[in-house]
Amino acid sequence: MVFFGYVGNRNASEVLKEALLKLQSLGYDSVGVGIIDESNIQIRKKVGHVRDLITYIAQTPMSGNRGIAHLRWATHGSPSDANAHPHLSNNGKLALVHNGVIENEAKIRKQLIKKGYKFTSETDSEVLVNLIQDVMETSNVSLSSALPLAFRVVRGACGVLVVSSDEPDTILAAQTGSPLLLGLGNGENYITSDSRGFPPEITNIIRVHNGEYVVLRSMGFEIKTFDEVPVVKEIEELKDQVFVADKEGFPDFIIKEIMEQPQALRDCLRGRLNMLKNDQVQLGGLGDVLNGVRIIDRVCNASRIIVVASGSSYSAALLGKYLIESLARIHVEVVYASEFKTAKRPLGDYPKPPVLVAISNSGETGDVVAAVK
């Protein structure tokens, strides 16, 4: 799952389409955008490819200088137009895109249904946008005040972008263990969970950390903790932004990635396989010393290795389990990162301490980061 937001002076629909085309190789089953034109929230979303959504938008154009977009990989609910993001609140004034999982979604949904809220999807995301509406109405507060209050209720690692038809030139964002980046432009600003969606002219970024929320406008931003403490951030330079989503003649990205596997393996081993020393494998970091013990010795003497991963990284971990157990004769346990967080494993009861290995393609997978923490 990945989201992207824009606020500025350009046609938000065009900006969001360009971002989605760059991000589409990350994997998804549905796609959607929400554009705010004055006091109207316009939603377009579809199961299928980004190109299907672009065709849909061409048939039913949208206008506005502020918007949010999302690529969804189904967690709560099957792939469908109804479950695709963005999701609207019951009063039609809020639209939300969401990454991650809300673990107490069922309890919150029941509470909102008792209050008369209606749901048109199976998602935890629709529960969250209506929870925010409920907090705004019951506490008589603005969206910027309601968002951190709502996040105190939910459990789980997640990130959101929210827009309101009552608050022009503004996107609200928050995260608890899910990546969130600001891209700073000239008279326009961007916010995303993956920097590869930024246009090439964006070189200044700000990282939003766990337990923080953002009020983003075209001419500036504010960042605070959920306890309303202002946060001063350093601006970082975005480097090595050279990723281009190109199928290079293949019919789709899946076939392209399959065909690239031999070269990817060669690239992975380059510089790490010493042919002059009996094919000795040299992996960076394993020779480092931690608390007086080499990391490689700590791994070799471990009672077991626990690997946490999600998605395709989980499949890679299963292959790693087979290889490590066959060659190193060390027991390996592979666990979905989302399950590891709540599982009660007696990690301190082993005769020798286990080693935890976390796998993430981006290094920012929310469930994997939460499992490590």
Side-chain angles (χ1 to χ4, degrees), residues 223-241:
I223 301 178
K224 296 181 180 180
T225 68
F226 290 168
D227 295 322
E228 300 293 352
V229 178
V231 179
V232 178
K233 294 283 188 175
E234 290 188 7
I235 297 176
E236 301 178 31
E237 182 181 357
L238 182 61
K239 299 179 180 179
D240 302 325
Q241 192 69 0

Side-chain angles (χ1 to χ4, degrees), residues 86-324:
H87 288 284
L88 282 172
S89 58
N90 273 200
N91 63 10
K93 294 184 176 183
L94 304 177
L96 171 145
V97 292
H98 164 231
N99 290 343
V101 175
I102 298 174
E103 296 171 359
N104 57 339
E105 168 267 337
K107 179 180 179 181
I108 298 171
R109 183 188 292 265
K110 289 179 181 178
Q111 293 171 345
L112 292 174
I113 289 174
K114 287 182 179 179
K115 291 185 175 185
Y117 284 84
K118 308 292 185 183
F119 294 93
T120 60
S121 78
E122 306 166 86
T123 66
D124 52 350
S125 310
E126 189 184 13
V127 171
L128 180 55
V129 72
N130 282 298
L131 173 64
I132 296 170
Q133 176 193 324
D134 188 63
V135 171
M136 291 177 68
E137 294 177 350
T138 56
S139 302
N140 193 26
V141 294
S142 66
L143 173 59
S144 58
S145 297
L147 187 60
L149 292 176
F151 262 78
R152 293 176 185 173
V153 176
V154 301
R155 294 200 314 267
C158 61
V160 300
L161 303 182
V162 192
V163 290
S164 168
S165 58
D166 290 339
E167 298 192 24
D169 192 47
T170 305
I171 297 176
L172 274 290
Q175 72 104 327
T176 53
S178 182
L180 190 59
L181 302 169
L182 302 185
L184 307 180
N186 183 15
E188 59 183 7
N189 287 309
Y190 304 79
I191 189 161
T192 184
S193 55
D194 194 302
S195 64
R196 287 174 282 190
F198 286 143
E201 64 268 21
I202 295 301
T203 57
N204 291 328
I205 65 168
I206 289 176
R207 299 182 188 276
V208 182
H209 293 133
N210 187 19
E212 296 175 348
Y213 77 96
V214 185
V215 181
L216 184 69
R217 300 183 178 90
S218 59
M219 300 303 293
F221 62 91
E222 301 171 65
I223 301 178
K224 296 181 180 180
T225 68
F226 290 168
D227 295 322
E228 300 293 352
V229 178
V231 179
V232 178
K233 294 283 188 175
E234 290 188 7
I235 297 176
E236 301 178 31
E237 182 181 357
L238 182 61
K239 299 179 180 179
D240 302 325
Q241 192 69 0
V242 296
F243 174 84
V244 177
D246 187 352
K247 290 184 283 190
E248 298 178 1
F250 291 99
D252 53 55
F253 284 106
I254 294 294
I255 298 298
K256 177 176 180 284
E257 291 186 8
I258 290 172
M259 300 306 294
E260 285 177 338
Q261 288 185 59
Q263 184 59 45
L265 185 58
R266 285 191 288 268
D267 291 341
C268 180
L269 294 176
R270 187 176 293 118
R272 297 182 172 95
L273 192 61
N274 192 331
M275 306 296 290
L276 299 178
K277 292 186 177 181
N278 298 320
D279 294 339
Q280 184 182 49
V281 177
Q282 298 171 312
L283 298 179
L286 289 181
D288 294 349
V289 176
L290 180 65
N291 296 329
V293 181
R294 287 198 314 160
I295 292 178
I296 184 61
D297 295 330
R298 190 181 294 264
V299 173
C300 291
N301 291 319
S303 58
R304 68 173 57 200
I305 297 173
I306 302 172
V307 185
V308 293
S310 297
S312 57
S313 294
Y314 180 85
S315 299
L318 292 175
L319 176 60
K321 167 184 170 68
Y322 169 76
L323 293 173
I324 293 172

